[in-house]
Amino acid sequence: NEDLDNLLTRCERKCIGDHFAKMEALICLAVILRRYRLSLVPGHPVVPEASVTLRPKHGLLMNVGPN
């Protein structure tokens, strides 16, 4: 994820734990996705916005419920 890369490499020195932090973030995301069901809020527009990466212009509003 480019945002995570920018956050971890913004300083002058390289963080020796950045690879571990990225791995930990992915594991946390996997656990969340196994435990909860995510769905888009009905009627919220999903419009792509091109920047350095392609991202939703208005963000993603999500409903979170038990899986």
Side-chain angles (χ1 to χ4, degrees):
N1 183 334
E2 190 169 309
D3 291 332
L4 185 58
D5 287 341
N6 288 337
L7 179 66
L8 296 172
T9 60
R10 197 174 292 167
C11 61
E12 292 178 14
R13 298 185 183 122
K14 181 82 169 137
C15 175
I16 62 170
D18 68 342
H19 180 71
F20 176 75
K22 290 178 197 177
M23 189 181 324
E24 188 176 30
L26 287 174
I27 291 169
C28 289
L29 181 61
V31 169
I32 290 169
L33 292 176
R34 286 190 69 188
R35 291 186 184 174
Y36 300 99
R37 193 189 70 184
L38 303 175
S39 60
L40 290 171
V41 170
H44 180 72
V46 179
V47 179
E49 179 179 41
S51 181
V52 174
T53 60
L54 191 62
R55 56 181 18 159
K57 185 174 187 175
H58 306 290
L60 289 178
L61 293 182
M62 306 289 290
N63 290 317
V64 180
N67 202 1

